[in-house]
Amino acid sequence: MRQGFAHQAVLDMAPDDDSRAPGAAITTVLCGRWDHEPPCPVAPHHTSEERSGDEVRLRILFATEPHLEERVRQDIDRALARGELVGPDGRTSRWRLLGSRPVEPSAQESEHLARLTRA
């Protein structure tokens, strides 16, 4: 049975790079491609980003079986460590991973995580 989890990462990213690109990179690693049809094969997920200058904070929510949690977290880190993604417009966005760690889901995220566990 799937459970919901949260992960947080901080990136250094130039203001003219697309802050959505790291989320697409995560989707590519977890699902095989960033523009796939649902459902996600291993871990339904959602990535949100918040930019402040060159710093981009990511919040990744995902649902998976507990025995796959560590694999999904490693896949997230692997995607972010690559540091770049070519978008659909052919433009390459680049970033540097400053930190990544598991976090507790917030109360506000519980409904979203419930939807992900049912996906």
Side-chain angles (χ1 to χ4, degrees):
M1 176 154 211
R2 286 184 180 156
Q3 293 181 2
F5 302 95
H7 200 84
Q8 184 171 300
V10 180
L11 311 174
D12 179 45
M13 189 174 206
D16 58 333
D17 283 317
D18 187 348
S19 62
R20 299 170 300 172
I26 291 168
T27 299
T28 300
V29 168
L30 292 178
C31 304
R33 41 187 298 181
W34 59 267
D35 60 347
H36 73 91
E37 292 294 321
C40 297
V42 175
H45 60 282
H46 172 76
T47 303
S48 60
E49 76 276 341
E50 183 179 308
R51 181 187 281 279
S52 177
D54 287 347
E55 184 179 278
V56 176
R57 292 189 172 276
L58 301 179
R59 185 82 170 180
I60 304 101
L61 303 179
F62 66 93
T64 195
E65 287 76 13
H67 72 279
L68 294 174
E69 174 191 1
E70 189 56 34
R71 172 189 162 194
V72 172
R73 292 188 191 280
Q74 289 172 357
D75 285 346
I76 290 168
D77 286 344
R78 183 166 47 94
L80 296 175
R82 286 184 180 166
E84 68 177 35
L85 181 85
V86 179
D89 60 357
R91 192 170 141 235
T92 301
S93 291
R94 292 183 174 81
W95 61 87
R96 185 169 56 94
L97 178 61
L98 299 177
S100 177
R101 65 186 176 94
V103 292
E104 288 297 316
S106 70
Q108 296 86 350
E109 294 168 328
S110 62
E111 186 177 319
H112 195 158
L113 281 171
R115 285 193 309 274
L116 290 174
T117 61
R118 293 188 300 269

